[in-house]
Amino acid sequence: VVFVAGLGGIGMDTSRELLKRNLKNLVVLDRIDNPAAIAELKTINPKVTVSFYLYDVTVSLTETKKLLKTIFDKLKTVDILINGAGILDDHQIERTIAVNFTGLVNTTTAIMDFWDKRKGGSGGVVCNIGSVTGFNAIHQVPVYSATKAAVVSFTQSLAKLAPLTGVTAFTVNPGITVTTLVNKFNSWLDVEPRVAELLIDNPTQTTLACAQNFVKAIELNQNGGIWKLDLGTLAPIQWT
């Protein structure tokens, strides 16, 4: 498993849960080096090799391909790519789009060099982290919500291209989860200065509850699946 942003709020708990499974390798990519977190992950399951690479999803497609070549040269095979990078701040319009959507598209595009069966690849699985805002927008943060809708749409196209590429795909879409992401953030044009406070007034879930259902969705491995991870439950969403 290659996990982009595997040390974040939901990411770290999901990495912990993944390591309880029968993995061979967990490769964590993140823009901030956290040796203590990596050291902790290495202690969970000695049978799994945990490695870390610095990676900012806003780098060029060329740079992403170079990093993935390094990983593939070392591991030979990668089965699952998890795209989990995300920010929530509608003041940072270009960066929100770059991190939440463009970076995800570039990372997925880059791994196709190694997975696409038209190029002799053996296929793989893409798991993209979206958000319930992808199909139920929080209108005070329309830029963030739009990027998550784009993630769902892009992933659905990937899933339909699976017969051609050999690469399957699905999304996991968390509801309001208690992470640093939602502690304080800005609404678009300051349409709601209290947006973070109002959001947290709604029912929430823990990162652990989210992570446990996240891993269940990975194990189900349903091509084209749109999973809603909310209030500690895992439920399919019908997309029309």
Side-chain angles (χ1 to χ4, degrees):
V1 177
V2 173
F3 195 164
V4 180
L7 300 181
I10 294 172
M12 185 64 180
D13 270 339
T14 304
S15 291
R16 291 184 181 110
E17 290 299 310
L18 284 168
L19 287 166
K20 297 175 183 177
R21 270 62 175 183
N22 187 28
L23 304 185
K24 186 175 181 182
N25 290 278
L26 175 64
V27 182
V28 178
L29 311 184
D30 215 300
R31 62 184 294 270
I32 297 174
D33 191 3
N34 188 338
I38 294 297
E40 180 202 329
L41 292 177
K42 287 180 176 180
T43 66
I44 294 172
N45 187 347
K47 294 181 180 178
V48 183
T49 301
V50 178
S51 53
F52 173 80
Y53 294 87
L54 278 173
Y55 178 56
D56 186 326
V57 295
T58 63
V59 301
S60 68
L61 179 60
T62 301
E63 287 300 308
T64 300
K65 287 183 177 184
K66 285 180 182 177
L67 174 58
L68 286 173
K69 185 177 187 307
T70 299
I71 294 168
F72 272 83
D73 284 348
K74 181 178 179 181
L75 301 184
K76 307 308 177 190
T77 60
V78 172
D79 301 297
I80 300 172
L81 169 67
I82 302 172
N83 285 310
I87 62 169
L88 174 52
D89 185 346
D90 264 30
H91 282 185
Q92 300 186 63
I93 295 171
E94 290 185 1
R95 181 159 178 78
T96 295
I97 296 169
V99 173
N100 294 3
F101 185 58
T102 309
L104 177 148
V105 172
N106 282 347
T107 308
T108 305
T109 302
I111 207 166
M112 287 294 181
D113 275 2
F114 308 91
W115 274 354
D116 194 332
K117 69 180 185 182
R118 295 172 302 167
K119 297 182 178 182
S122 57
V125 178
V126 178
C127 172
N128 289 329
I129 302 181
S131 162
V132 294
T133 62
F135 38 82
N136 187 14
I138 297 176
H139 61 271
Q140 298 95 333
V141 283
V143 179
Y144 174 83
S145 298
T147 61
K148 294 303 184 177
V151 167
V152 173
S153 180
F154 175 71
T155 309
Q156 290 304 102
S157 293
L158 287 176
K160 290 176 181 177
L161 289 169
L164 184 68
T165 64
V167 177
T168 59
F170 59 91
T171 57
V172 292
N173 301 277
I176 304 169
T177 308
V178 181
T179 71
T180 55
L181 202 70
V182 297
N183 285 347
K184 186 178 185 300
F185 60 93
N186 298 302
S187 64
W188 180 69
L189 301 179
D190 294 320
V191 292
E192 177 47 79
R194 296 174 57 241
V195 62
E197 182 183 337
L198 292 172
L199 188 69
I200 290 298
D201 280 345
N202 289 284
T204 61
Q205 66 182 351
T206 65
T207 54
L208 176 58
C210 184
Q212 289 170 338
N213 283 314
F214 190 157
V215 175
K216 286 179 186 176
I218 293 173
E219 290 174 328
L220 289 167
N221 192 22
Q222 181 181 315
N223 186 40
I226 305 172
W227 295 104
K228 180 180 179 182
L229 283 59
D230 197 19
L231 304 179
T233 62
L234 176 68
I237 293 293
Q238 297 303 316
W239 179 267
T240 59

